[in-house]
Amino acid sequence: MQGAVAREEIELSFKRYILEKTEAFAHEPMEDVYRVNLLGQMLDRYDELRQKGLSGDAALQRTTADYADIPARMRREGFEEAGAHRTEARWPQMTEEEAADYVKQSDAYARKIAMGTALCSACVAPMMLLVALMSAFGRPDVGGMLGCVNMFVMIGMGVYCLVTAKKPENRSRIRSGKFSLSASLRKKLMARKARADEKARHKKGLGSALLATCVLPIFAGAALDSVWGLYSNPFAILGVGAMFLMIGAGVYELTAANGEKKPIKDLLKD
């Protein structure tokens, strides 16, 4: 029972020490999580010193001495004193909702541009697919005509997406840097940027892979035509259609890759 009481007193002592050292920093979720982590680290250090033979008082003093630079540690981690830059801000401070709305609108704009570009890039696909299909009925000319219609439909849809893509409402303000960010919002954006960077790498990798291997369907279709001795080459024509679909998908992934990453970078350059 006495051991439990002593342990509670040690923990309370560390809590008070951490609060005293971090009183200049805000009490927000990120800062409070860091304080909790500090408490765990200090308790682990205390237990380690006790196991080495130090008395309770000596271990307590040694641990607090080891963590005397807590404010400096927090600054190195990117934490700032509460209100440190609010009075110095030249431009109005952006709220978390405004930042999230800007990223969302920018991502939607990038995706629509990517869709329009992809549709125009893959516009030949329906022609090839319909020619291959109608070849089975001995009417490749009909398939070509229908394919032309669908090709221009895809071009029209692509142009529509490109023309109607709406830029974020406050894009000029963000890009001109006429705003400021709080320390807590900056940390959240930095964490989101790390996720956006990872997502962008995957999309760029997928898009590059699709473009690099887009001719594979042609070879596969030609091989199938050779196996079955088909002279109209429907599978090879299907392969050409699939190639353009892969090109469209690859272009979409590459164009949309920075949909979230770019606006977050704009926000962090305030």
Side-chain angles (χ1 to χ4, degrees):
M1 184 68 178
Q2 290 181 351
V5 173
R7 183 68 176 181
E8 290 179 0
E9 291 177 352
I10 293 296
E11 185 173 341
L12 182 59
S13 177
F14 286 152
K15 285 180 179 178
R16 289 172 178 167
Y17 182 79
I18 291 171
L19 288 174
E20 179 183 345
K21 286 287 186 180
T22 62
E23 63 181 354
F25 296 86
H27 283 271
E28 296 188 16
M30 295 290 288
E31 283 82 354
D32 288 338
V33 168
Y34 190 82
R35 290 182 176 95
V36 172
N37 289 334
L38 278 176
L39 176 61
Q41 294 174 25
M42 293 183 74
L43 288 171
D44 290 341
R45 177 60 174 160
Y46 174 82
D47 292 337
E48 179 185 349
L49 293 172
R50 288 303 307 273
Q51 291 175 4
K52 290 182 177 179
L54 272 68
S55 65
D57 290 339
L60 179 64
Q61 294 176 6
R62 177 70 176 276
T63 302
T64 53
D66 289 345
Y67 285 83
D69 63 340
I70 287 177
R73 293 185 184 208
M74 292 187 72
R75 293 189 192 97
R76 286 196 298 269
E77 293 290 333
F79 296 100
E80 298 175 354
E81 285 84 354
H85 296 285
R86 292 180 186 178
T87 58
E88 302 172 5
R90 180 180 177 186
W91 302 108
Q93 192 172 99
M94 178 169 289
T95 65
E96 186 173 344
E97 290 75 17
E98 288 176 327
D101 190 50
Y102 175 71
V103 174
K104 182 179 179 181
Q105 290 184 33
S106 298
D107 188 39
Y109 172 75
R111 287 178 181 276
K112 201 161 187 180
I113 292 293
M115 180 58 70
T117 308
L119 286 170
C120 291
S121 301
C123 65
V124 182
M127 178 185 291
M128 297 295 102
L129 297 175
L130 285 168
V131 168
L133 178 63
M134 295 305 294
S135 294
F137 299 97
R139 298 300 303 273
D141 53 335
V142 176
M145 292 298 295
L146 293 174
C148 282
V149 172
N150 284 278
M151 178 183 72
F152 283 104
V153 168
M154 282 187 69
I155 293 174
M157 291 170 61
V159 171
Y160 175 82
C161 288
L162 292 171
V163 173
T164 59
K166 183 181 179 182
K167 297 179 181 179
E169 295 177 358
N170 54 353
R171 189 186 193 191
S172 59
R173 174 195 168 199
I174 301 299
R175 294 198 166 184
S176 63
K178 295 180 179 180
F179 66 98
S180 61
L181 299 177
S182 66
S184 60
L185 178 54
R186 179 174 290 276
K187 286 194 287 288
K188 290 178 181 178
L189 287 172
M190 290 178 68
R192 185 168 179 177
K193 181 179 179 297
R195 296 192 297 270
D197 287 343
E198 184 65 21
K199 183 178 178 181
R201 281 194 293 272
H202 284 294
K203 292 182 79 66
K204 287 179 180 178
L206 177 58
S208 300
L210 287 169
L211 292 177
T213 60
C214 66
V215 296
L216 291 179
I218 297 179
F219 291 116
L224 290 174
D225 287 335
S226 298
V227 169
W228 285 315
L230 300 176
Y231 295 101
S232 58
N233 298 321
F235 288 109
I237 298 172
L238 281 174
V240 175
M243 178 188 72
F244 279 99
L245 289 177
M246 287 180 68
I247 290 173
V251 168
Y252 176 84
E253 294 295 333
L254 288 174
T255 309
N258 292 328
E260 255 189 72
K261 179 181 176 181
K262 183 64 170 62
I264 295 175
K265 288 180 65 178
D266 291 340
L267 289 168
L268 289 173
K269 290 190 298 185
D270 71 308

